[in-house]
Amino acid sequence: MEELKHECGVAMIRLLKPLEYYKEKYGTLQYALNKLYLLMEKQHNRGQEGAGLACVRLSAKPGDEYMFRERAAGTTAITEIFNAVHNDQIEAEEGVLPPFIGELYMGHLRYSTTGKSGLDYIHPFLRRNNWRAKNLALCGNFNLTNVDEVFQRIVANGQHPRKYADTHILLEQVGHRLDREIERVYNICSAEGKTGLDLTHAIEQRVDIANVLRTSSCYWDGGYVMCGVTGSGESFALRDPWGIRSAFWYHDDEILVLASERPVIQTVLDVSIDTIHELQPGQALITRQDGTVKLEHINAPKEKKACSFERIYFSRGSDYTIYHERKDLGKRLVSQILPAIDYNIEQTVFSYIPNTAEVAYYGLMDGIRQYCVDNGHPLSNVRSEKVVWKDIKLRTFIAEGNSRNDLAAHVYDITYGSVKPYEDNLVIIDDSIVRGTTLRQSIIRILDRLHPKKTIIVSSSPQIRYPDYYGIDMSSMEQFIAFKAAVALLEERGMEHILTDVYEKIKAGDDSVNHVKEIYAPFTDNEVSQKIADLLTPSDIGTEVEIIFQTVDELHNACPEHLGDWYFTGDYPTPGGLRMLNRAYIDYYEHRQNLK
């Protein structure tokens, strides 16, 4: 019901044969460019604030451009950048290879988690130099928790970044290490007596990108898939050692492709799932100038904490395993739903809030039908309806006060007559409940017009209790309805001193323990859920409302390979995540005190 800002998306292509091969076989020099467009469009859900692409041409002669970049901001950015590329090619001189025709491509879809916007923040970022091998383009799906530390480190090395922004800082850091690597190889090749172009070519052939990545990324704390290309044709994609962010790749004798999501590679290249590989934690996929592809472990893998929100919410549901995991998440809610409706399936209508919860809904219905079969109930008793319809995105900002709330209540429409008034229970499944704003202002109110006997809102994910600092736009404490519910319970039961105790422990400098957990500790999950229902149900609603959340154990059972659950449990995989949580709680507590 509430849209989260998505993670960024990346896509890379390396052609492994001469350009004329693709012209002859596929009838166009734009073969790779067309594939990149599809890879980016298929991941459009990951980029609503901007997009960009970079291209490297290996066959360029001295004096000719060999590294191209195009970027655009806004929701139509993909269309804009490819239109611009197309126009550049139309205007190219006859007999001259047009811009953006090359062997190496990198694309990026941006979804900011920092609040910074505009073309200056759109990837890829470029670091220019007269040496081809020192030119660097960088992009990524990432959020580092220790950008301040990385900044201080590169300043201590004598660098002076032009902007205090995470990608600019990383570009300078990786670029600096690339310079040092090239100088190392330069000294070796010079000692061998090489000069001029022979020296240049020898350096480009011997540069070891793995050295650059090891000496750069060892200081990074956070979740990332970092991608880069050099002007001389090396490329890399590096995954964080905890496996928080994901990337997948495909390789044959014609092409190497990498993307944030597996099904987009399947679709764009029409290849089978077993030919696509997942980049492992701490691992880099590196392509040399000569087209040699290798996997190399850059950082020792940690305990894998792949983001579970990738499975629940962000990634495309057309992926085989994601589709079945989301169905399983819905099915695993049946045991909680049945007592909530007093096992009265015949007088219960099941539905979902469009659109991301649809697959979990299918799993829920499978589970309900299985219960009926196991317990001798007729399957004809199971009732599913399209109860809620998403209407236009109303411009509620133009209104004030009660009129704003009235507009918000009409974002969704209902199917009148789908529920027998005062007789039927209504079960609505969603994939997550973060802030609860839409539930309170719109969903619960409009469902109440159907006059169900009882409304049960079901989340296929657990209660979101803690901020995320690895790529999702959930970075402050007070936005979470689960946190508000726990604080309300402390206030009701005269236990507000726990809020102060937690603050004092954090201020004492203990960054090794998550003391915020103490705020939830006095209460069961059900107590927090009940309080959430109280907070989200308007006082003028006549229907009883219950809210049910997935349990963490069942989440792990459904998604066994994606155990990153810090937003539910507070178990942050990196030290930086816990430090940022403590900082967020201090900000929350001090603001709370100032309001008193």
Side-chain angles (χ1 to χ4, degrees):
M1 283 170 267
E2 297 167 294
E3 292 187 4
L4 293 173
K5 284 195 173 182
H6 289 236
E7 301 159 5
C8 294
V10 296
M12 298 186 77
I13 293 178
R14 174 63 152 88
L15 296 180
L16 303 175
K17 293 185 179 295
L19 288 174
E20 285 301 319
Y21 171 88
Y22 304 92
K23 174 85 177 287
E24 182 177 340
K25 182 172 180 178
Y26 298 105
T28 178
L29 289 172
Q30 297 186 19
Y31 170 76
L33 194 61
N34 293 339
K35 294 298 184 186
L36 183 70
Y37 170 74
L38 291 172
L39 288 169
M40 293 176 69
E41 274 292 1
K42 293 294 183 181
Q43 296 181 106
H44 199 164
N45 62 304
R46 290 176 174 264
Q48 299 296 323
E49 294 185 3
L53 69 86
C55 170
V56 175
R57 181 183 298 164
L58 301 181
S59 58
K61 297 176 182 179
D64 291 341
E65 182 60 84
Y66 53 86
M67 203 168 190
F68 308 90
R69 179 183 66 164
E70 188 68 45
R71 299 179 297 169
T75 58
T76 61
I78 297 177
T79 300
E80 288 183 33
I81 62 174
F82 279 93
N83 281 342
V85 168
H86 180 66
N87 291 336
D88 284 345
Q89 294 181 350
I90 291 176
E91 296 171 3
E93 296 180 21
E94 187 175 351
V96 177
L97 205 59
F100 292 96
I101 295 299
E103 294 86 354
L104 180 54
Y105 292 87
M106 181 170 70
H108 186 264
L109 300 139
R110 184 174 192 263
Y111 228 139
S112 171
T113 59
T114 64
K116 297 176 180 178
S117 60
L119 200 60
D120 286 347
Y121 297 96
I122 304 297
H123 305 196
F125 286 76
L126 279 183
R127 191 174 190 260
R128 287 293 201 177
N129 193 282
N130 284 337
W131 287 71
R132 285 202 314 178
K134 288 187 177 183
N135 281 269
L136 176 66
L138 197 69
C139 75
N141 173 17
F142 71 95
N143 206 30
L144 300 190
T145 65
N146 65 335
V147 172
D148 293 347
E149 296 171 26
V150 175
F151 179 80
Q152 293 303 325
R153 184 174 295 276
I154 65 175
V155 169
N157 286 335
Q159 295 174 265
H160 193 108
R162 293 183 300 110
K163 291 186 179 180
Y164 193 87
D166 50 11
T167 312
H168 281 283
I169 292 169
L170 294 181
L171 180 70
E172 290 302 323
Q173 185 203 24
V174 177
H176 172 72
R177 297 315 311 176
L178 179 62
D179 290 346
R180 299 290 78 78
E181 170 64 14
I182 290 170
E183 290 167 9
R184 179 188 73 82
V185 179
Y186 173 88
N187 291 332
I188 294 173
C189 294
S190 293
E192 295 173 354
K194 292 182 172 59
T195 60
L197 286 177
D198 288 340
L199 175 60
T200 298
H201 293 154
I203 291 172
E204 292 179 351
Q205 291 163 9
R206 296 194 197 181
V207 168
D208 190 347
I209 291 296
N211 284 343
V212 176
L213 297 177
R214 287 193 181 96
T215 52
S216 302
S217 63
C218 60
Y219 303 113
W220 299 346
D221 182 299
Y224 56 84
V225 172
M226 204 69 66
C227 301
V229 297
T230 72
S232 55
E234 290 81 20
S235 68
F236 66 84
L238 173 64
R239 188 180 185 187
D240 67 83
W242 301 271
I244 296 171
R245 299 273 75 83
S246 62
F248 300 86
W249 57 276
Y250 169 84
H251 177 214
D252 60 24
D253 63 345
E254 290 185 354
I255 195 170
L256 171 71
V257 174
L258 177 134
S260 294
E261 300 185 40
R262 180 170 59 183
V264 303
I265 300 177
Q266 284 182 262
T267 300
V268 171
L269 298 183
D270 190 20
V271 294
S272 60
I273 190 173
D274 58 294
T275 63
I276 300 173
H277 311 280
E278 183 176 3
L279 194 63
Q280 296 302 306
Q283 191 178 61
L285 180 68
I286 298 173
T287 311
R288 302 295 299 269
Q289 184 189 53
D290 63 2
T292 302
V293 178
K294 65 175 182 177
L295 289 167
E296 192 151 346
H297 274 287
I298 303 301
N299 298 301
K302 311 289 187 181
E303 181 182 2
K304 189 174 181 181
K305 292 293 184 179
C307 175
S308 56
F309 249 113
E310 285 275 356
R311 319 304 280 183
I312 299 169
Y313 189 90
F314 292 125
S315 295
R316 292 170 69 89
S318 57
D319 183 275
Y320 175 83
T321 54
I322 292 174
Y323 180 80
H324 288 282
E325 286 172 6
R326 290 181 181 175
K327 284 190 70 175
D328 198 24
L329 284 167
K331 191 172 184 179
R332 291 177 181 275
L333 288 161
V334 172
S335 62
Q336 293 191 74
I337 292 171
L338 287 171
I341 61 173
D342 200 24
Y343 297 86
N344 187 353
I345 292 175
E346 186 175 1
Q347 289 186 302
T348 299
V349 173
F350 297 90
S351 192
Y352 64 94
I353 300 296
N355 282 323
T356 53
E358 186 175 3
V359 177
Y361 168 74
Y362 293 147
L364 169 62
M365 298 312 297
D366 285 349
I368 293 293
R369 293 186 188 98
Q370 187 61 54
Y371 169 81
C372 290
V373 170
D374 293 343
N375 292 274
H377 298 297
L379 289 177
S380 58
N381 287 351
V382 180
R383 298 164 58 199
S384 60
E385 302 287 354
K386 181 78 169 179
V387 173
V388 183
W389 301 78
K390 182 70 177 287
D391 200 359
I392 59 173
K393 186 68 175 177
L394 295 171
R395 292 178 173 266
T396 56
F397 64 82
I398 64 174
E400 297 179 355
N402 293 334
S403 62
R404 177 184 175 91
N405 292 335
D406 184 58
L407 284 172
H410 290 82
V411 171
Y412 293 91
D413 280 343
I414 50 174
T415 303
Y416 290 95
S418 57
V419 174
K420 296 177 183 175
Y422 309 107
E423 296 182 19
D424 288 340
N425 301 308
L426 176 59
V427 175
I428 298 284
I429 187 170
D430 186 29
D431 46 23
S432 63
I433 299 172
V434 185
R435 305 168 186 86
T437 307
T438 307
L439 272 176
R440 179 175 176 83
Q441 293 184 351
S442 180
I443 297 296
I444 291 176
R445 284 190 178 280
I446 202 161
L447 290 179
D448 191 57
R449 297 183 181 186
L450 296 174
H451 304 296
K453 179 181 178 182
K454 181 180 182 181
T455 299
I456 300 100
I457 308 292
V458 187
S459 170
S460 64
S461 66
Q463 297 169 3
I464 299 172
R465 297 181 168 193
Y466 303 92
D468 177 78
Y469 300 106
Y470 304 121
I472 305 171
D473 185 32
M474 302 190 302
S475 58
S476 61
M477 299 296 306
E478 60 272 15
Q479 66 180 303
F480 303 117
I481 188 60
F483 181 75
K484 290 181 179 179
V487 171
L489 287 170
L490 291 176
E491 292 171 343
E492 288 176 3
R493 302 184 187 185
M495 302 168 71
E496 280 187 89
H497 65 88
I498 291 178
L499 298 174
T500 302
D501 293 345
V502 169
Y503 174 77
E504 291 176 348
K505 289 176 182 178
I506 293 174
K507 290 288 284 186
D510 186 358
D511 275 338
S512 62
V513 178
N514 185 344
H515 294 291
V516 179
K517 289 185 178 183
E518 297 172 25
I519 293 170
Y520 297 98
F523 316 114
T524 66
D525 289 353
N526 285 338
E527 286 177 308
V528 176
S529 295
Q530 289 170 13
K531 179 50 65 176
I532 290 173
D534 291 344
L535 294 177
L536 296 184
T537 304
S539 58
D540 56 344
I541 295 298
T543 305
E544 178 188 356
V545 177
E546 182 174 350
I547 298 180
I548 293 173
F549 289 87
Q550 185 74 262
T551 67
V552 173
D553 286 344
E554 292 290 23
L555 169 67
H556 289 169
N557 289 334
C559 309
E561 299 299 319
H562 288 71
L563 301 179
D565 60 5
W566 50 92
Y567 13 71
F568 309 127
T569 64
D571 297 332
Y572 290 89
T574 77
L578 189 52
R579 284 197 301 271
M580 294 192 77
L581 168 70
N582 288 339
R583 190 182 308 167
Y585 184 77
I586 289 172
D587 291 343
Y588 159 78
Y589 183 85
E590 292 179 350
H591 179 68
R592 173 188 170 91
Q593 294 302 107
N594 289 335
L595 293 177
K596 288 186 176 180

